[in-house]
Amino acid sequence: MFSLLSRPTGKSKGWICSTCRGLSTAPPLGSQQQSVPIRRSVSRRLPDYPTRTRFAPSPTGYLHLGSLRTALFNYLLAKATGGQFLLRIEDTDKKRTVAGAEDRICRDLEWAGLHWDEGPEVGGPYGPYRQSDRTALYREHAHKLLDSGHAYRCFCTSDRLDKLAKQRSQLGLPTDYDRTCEGLPEAESQDRAFRGETYVIRLKVPDIYPKYDDLVYGSIGRHKQNAILFKHGEPAYEDPILIKSDGSPTYHLANVVDDHHMEITHVIRAVEWMPSTPKHLIIYDAFGWQPPVFAHVGLLQDENGQKLSKRNLDIDIQSFEKDGIFPEALVNYVSLLGWSHSLGTDLLPSKPLIENFDLKFTKGNTVVSFGKLNYLQKRYAKIYAEEGGAKFQEMIDRVLAIVEEARRGRTDLDVADDLDFREYVAAVLRLDAKQYTSPEAFVSRNRFFFLPLWETGSRFAQSEQTRDHNKQEDGAIASAARKFADIPPSRWTTTSLREKTIAIVDEICKMRYTWNCADSEEPKGPRDSREANKVFNHWLRQAIMGGLPGPSMPDTMALLGRDVTLSRLHRGARFVTEPAGMAH
């Protein structure tokens, strides 16, 4: 139980921007009829003044794609205008608070590169930045709303409210409140509170909701009438609770009070909060405060049109980190979910993203498909490999750990352990970085560089019937492929291997007239150099890479080295020239 009878002595200092400071003066709270503060002008162009934005998560769960996007849009707006980005923890719902969630949220934001200018761990002039540490401030403002007639105490028990809601539901009415306690004399209300009777504080919603301009959806509200219904003689009012019976604030009050005292100029949040905005504007008007500019962005949906849930581990930010997704790639990807641009490229690292950010958000919900994330992941991997810096070293570390675990205890490896294996892994990454989506996927795609070939699904493990069908053609190609042995170790380079491949392809073209089927006089084999090159490279890919996709054959053979390449070519040749079962 808490008491609002003792009035706090501190005075809160309201903030008004320089443009409006000379135009508006907050009216006294003692009057029910107050002039509405001048609203900030709304434009989808960037403001020409430093903005103050915030991200205000509740530690009832972990950071997910939707909340990361909210944080990112607010962060980009602050940075693009030379302003400040705040982190505020809205932790008043103790029953639903998840242990460790606040620390995880902070860590995930830091991992994503969204460093806050004010908030937990860094402090700031408008703290504290946890709502649980600001309870006295909310009670002070609730008391002011009581004094001005914009709020009232409600002593209705949970049992009465449950019965009221059930009765209304049976009549087909909204389950809103009936204002039983709104008409209590002030003396009686104070006396019951003083005697310790349990109560909440409700906002007295006016008959007409205020209109406002949204950055995304334009003018919102057509002077919506508060739901005053007299059907069956039952009035109903949307009077939200501001202070709960345990003395803690609800989102409606704490959110408004904090945004005002922290001098927030712009609020970017999900469209699901749009129905609450008129109620928040009523509170702003009751205090005579200027509200921030609002932008409500659409929800993120899966391909079935269902809202993404923050409790779905598939979109938990930490799951992306564990999968090896680059933070810069993820932030770049998330920025494109509901924001439009005309830059000609979706590759937007942090600096260009800030420099080109504006308020052109798209209307409607956004379907999340991870094809674009994979594309961006590959682009950033290629950039990191070319730069060769710390991010590339992290890529090497993660791939090396997976490879070493797969090779541990093996005695049948053809790629020797006496290599500088870290540099070897780095070379594989540089060679195929443009296809890097995650460490696990990269190792799987390039496993022929690290593991025995017969584990990669080579077509030389096919049935004897299939082998016999291609035996004559494959035998001729295998014989030609032996000529790679003509290249000495000192000249075993991509250039030499490419030149030798061209020479062998020319020779294969000449072989066409010597390939004959037993039941036909028609010559077999490639008809031109293009077809010959295709046939030969297909055979090489089977013999050396197990038929897997990957880098070009000259690049692959150069990196595998002369001994491994010739050994695999020899084994491939044995598969097509010896009886089945003898080539292992």
Side-chain angles (χ1 to χ4, degrees):
M1 190 60 220
F2 69 100
S3 174
L4 292 176
L5 295 179
S6 298
R7 187 188 303 270
T9 58
K11 291 186 177 181
S12 60
K13 182 180 179 182
W15 180 90
I16 304 177
C17 74
S18 58
T19 303
C20 300
R21 191 172 291 122
L23 302 177
S24 174
T25 302
L29 282 169
S31 172
Q32 177 75 10
Q33 299 297 324
Q34 298 182 27
S35 60
V36 177
I38 297 174
R39 310 268 195 238
R40 289 186 178 91
S41 61
V42 173
S43 171
R44 300 185 79 177
R45 296 190 298 271
L46 284 180
D48 58 2
Y49 54 88
T51 60
R52 286 178 61 81
T53 65
R54 49 76 169 173
F55 176 53
S58 172
T60 56
Y62 303 127
L63 199 66
H64 55 103
L65 275 184
S67 54
L68 177 62
R69 184 186 64 161
T70 298
L72 175 62
F73 285 164
N74 283 281
Y75 172 86
L76 291 174
L77 176 56
K79 297 308 170 184
T81 59
Q84 297 83 42
F85 171 65
L86 285 66
L87 175 63
R88 185 174 73 224
I89 303 299
E90 300 193 340
D91 59 345
T92 57
D93 191 347
K94 296 300 182 182
K95 292 182 179 179
R96 296 177 55 235
T97 295
V98 175
E102 179 183 332
D103 290 340
R104 267 277 299 275
I105 290 171
C106 291
R107 183 188 176 281
D108 288 345
L109 287 173
E110 290 174 342
W111 173 80
L114 304 187
H115 304 293
W116 51 98
D117 302 296
E118 299 174 28
E121 300 178 4
V122 300
Y126 299 91
Y129 294 91
R130 292 183 182 87
Q131 287 188 338
S132 58
D133 297 328
R134 300 169 65 86
T135 304
L137 182 67
Y138 309 134
R139 293 178 180 176
E140 171 191 346
H141 286 79
H143 196 120
K144 290 181 178 180
L145 292 176
L146 286 173
D147 288 347
S148 65
H150 291 93
Y152 59 95
R153 296 182 185 87
C154 174
F155 297 90
C156 294
T157 63
S158 298
D159 183 60
R160 181 188 182 274
L161 293 175
D162 290 342
K163 290 179 179 179
L164 178 65
K166 183 177 180 180
Q167 178 185 10
R168 289 183 177 281
S169 178
Q170 291 173 346
L171 294 173
L173 298 174
T175 57
D176 297 320
Y177 186 53
D178 61 358
R179 283 190 179 170
T180 293
C181 295
E182 188 273 331
L184 290 176
E186 179 63 19
E188 179 183 346
S189 176
Q190 290 199 21
D191 181 63
R192 293 173 69 174
F194 181 79
R195 288 188 284 106
E197 190 172 344
T198 300
Y199 66 92
V200 300
I201 295 179
R202 291 182 181 271
L203 176 68
K204 185 177 179 181
V205 176
D207 293 345
I208 303 297
Y209 281 120
K211 293 174 62 176
Y212 71 98
D213 290 325
D214 186 87
L215 276 171
V216 180
Y217 291 91
S219 180
I220 300 297
R222 300 183 179 276
H223 293 301
K224 178 185 175 183
Q225 186 79 16
N226 184 16
I228 304 176
L229 304 176
F230 291 95
K231 184 177 180 182
H232 301 288
E234 297 286 341
Y237 302 88
E238 294 180 337
D239 288 357
I241 294 174
L242 302 179
I243 296 288
K244 292 179 281 189
S245 59
D246 63 359
S248 62
T250 63
Y251 171 80
H252 299 297
L253 178 64
N255 175 273
V256 170
V257 170
D258 286 346
D259 282 350
H260 170 72
H261 284 281
M262 294 180 181
E263 300 188 357
I264 300 301
T265 63
H266 290 70
V267 172
I268 304 174
R269 59 188 181 186
V271 72
E272 62 188 337
W273 292 110
M274 188 177 284
S276 297
T277 304
K279 299 181 179 69
H280 298 167
L281 291 174
I282 291 169
I283 300 175
Y284 279 105
D285 291 348
F287 286 116
W289 294 341
Q290 184 185 59
V293 174
F294 292 98
H296 291 91
V297 294
L299 300 177
L300 299 184
Q301 296 180 325
D302 61 24
E303 294 181 350
N304 296 320
Q306 300 297 313
K307 175 188 172 184
L308 294 183
S309 168
K310 68 179 180 181
R311 291 170 181 81
N312 183 340
L313 293 180
D314 290 337
I315 59 169
D316 180 356
I317 297 305
Q318 194 171 83
S319 69
F320 290 102
E321 181 184 3
K322 290 180 178 178
D323 288 343
I325 299 298
F326 305 127
E328 201 166 19
L330 183 62
V331 167
N332 190 159
Y333 168 69
V334 170
S335 74
L336 303 174
L337 300 176
W339 175 64
S340 62
H341 66 83
S342 55
L343 299 174
T345 177
D346 282 340
L347 184 67
L348 295 170
S350 179
K351 185 177 179 181
L353 187 56
I354 292 172
E355 291 173 346
N356 291 281
F357 184 73
D358 55 27
L359 299 172
K360 295 179 181 177
F361 303 116
T362 57
K363 291 184 179 180
N365 297 332
T366 301
V367 175
V368 174
S369 174
F370 292 109
K372 177 69 71 174
L373 177 59
N374 289 334
Y375 163 78
L376 291 169
Q377 179 82 347
K378 294 175 184 178
R379 294 290 302 274
Y380 281 103
K382 187 173 184 294
I383 292 172
Y384 297 157
E386 291 171 351
E387 293 175 345
K391 294 176 181 177
F392 184 54
Q393 296 303 315
E394 292 175 8
M395 291 171 61
I396 297 172
D397 290 340
R398 298 195 68 158
V399 170
L400 184 59
I402 297 171
V403 171
E404 287 179 339
E405 179 63 28
R407 290 168 58 88
R408 184 171 288 115
R410 299 289 294 266
T411 59
D412 56 349
L413 300 172
D414 56 351
V415 179
D417 280 319
D418 58 358
L419 297 168
D420 180 348
F421 214 72
R422 182 179 180 83
E423 178 52 38
Y424 178 70
V425 169
V428 176
L429 276 165
R430 282 190 287 265
L431 187 60
D432 202 37
K434 64 182 180 180
Q435 297 298 332
Y436 183 101
T437 56
S438 72
E440 289 79 6
F442 184 84
V443 172
S444 177
R445 170 183 165 84
N446 291 281
R447 56 189 180 273
F448 51 84
F449 279 117
F450 311 116
L451 297 173
L453 182 65
W454 46 90
E455 291 192 359
T456 64
S458 171
R459 108 179 149 95
F460 296 124
Q462 293 173 357
S463 67
E464 181 179 352
Q465 180 181 0
T466 304
R467 290 177 57 233
D468 288 345
H469 179 73
N470 297 313
K471 183 175 181 181
Q472 191 174 22
E473 177 181 334
D474 282 348
I477 294 176
S479 178
R482 291 193 180 99
K483 297 188 177 180
F484 281 112
D486 297 342
I487 302 176
S490 62
R491 295 187 62 246
W492 192 265
T493 64
T494 298
T495 300
S496 297
L497 289 164
R498 186 174 290 112
E499 292 172 352
K500 176 60 74 172
T501 299
I502 293 172
I504 293 174
V505 167
D506 288 341
E507 184 174 335
I508 290 175
C509 283
K510 298 173 184 177
M511 291 180 185
R512 175 177 182 266
Y513 296 102
T514 65
W515 294 355
N516 297 295
C517 289
D519 57 351
S520 173
E521 296 301 322
E522 282 293 320
K524 292 273 187 170
R527 291 175 171 78
D528 53 37
S529 60
R530 179 179 297 179
E531 185 177 350
N533 185 68
K534 180 179 178 181
V535 170
F536 184 55
N537 273 280
H538 177 72
W539 191 91
L540 284 179
R541 190 167 292 275
Q542 296 290 345
I544 296 173
M545 301 164 65
L548 295 173
S552 71
M553 289 312 308
D555 285 330
T556 298
M557 291 188 290
L559 184 54
L560 280 169
R562 187 175 187 272
D563 292 345
V564 173
T565 298
L566 295 181
S567 174
R568 292 186 180 184
L569 288 175
H570 176 69
R571 189 169 186 276
R574 290 175 63 196
F575 263 98
V576 298
T577 57
E578 297 181 6
M582 296 181 61
H584 291 281

